[in-house]
Amino acid sequence: MVASKATQKLSSIASSWPVDPFRPNIQLKNFLRSLSEHPKLTSEAVQAAQLLRDNAIQKRYALSAKTLQPASMPRHYERLVEGYERSATGAGRPWWKVFFGVWK
């Protein structure tokens, strides 16, 4: 891959990268943009960034229902994602819900 083509491709990947709400001062988008300007940029680096953006590994190695819903805590990962999404919007649980383990 020609260096300028790789630069353009990585720049487009960087521009489409989502913003991390938990680290406003450290964004992967900024790192990829600066990496696209590196003189020794390789096509492998561009391909790796593209695979990360497209969740290719997650699609190729899908997790089983047994892994996603363990017998000991079947809703653990659902709650984890729900908590992440709520905290990304700034919403939190009251202290008494945390103390007593109430989720809804």
Side-chain angles (χ1 to χ4, degrees), residues 11-87:
S11 293
S12 70
I13 291 170
S15 64
S16 68
W17 203 272
V19 175
D20 185 357
F22 296 106
R23 296 182 197 100
N25 57 340
I26 302 173
Q27 294 292 322
L28 192 57
K29 178 185 287 194
N30 297 339
F31 170 72
L32 291 174
R33 193 170 293 128
S34 65
L35 182 64
S36 69
E37 299 165 3
H38 195 276
K40 294 185 179 180
L41 180 64
T42 63
S43 62
E44 289 84 11
V46 174
Q47 184 179 9
Q50 188 171 13
L51 290 173
L52 277 174
R53 183 195 61 191
D54 298 339
N55 289 328
I57 302 301
Q58 184 180 15
K59 292 174 186 171
R60 183 169 179 174
Y61 301 104
L63 297 174
S64 67
K66 209 173 193 181
T67 303
L68 291 173
Q69 297 175 342
S72 60
M73 290 184 73
R75 295 199 54 233
H76 175 72
Y77 293 108
E78 291 174 28
R79 289 178 178 162
L80 194 65
V81 170
E82 182 180 307
Y84 178 82
E85 290 171 349
R86 282 187 181 171
S87 64

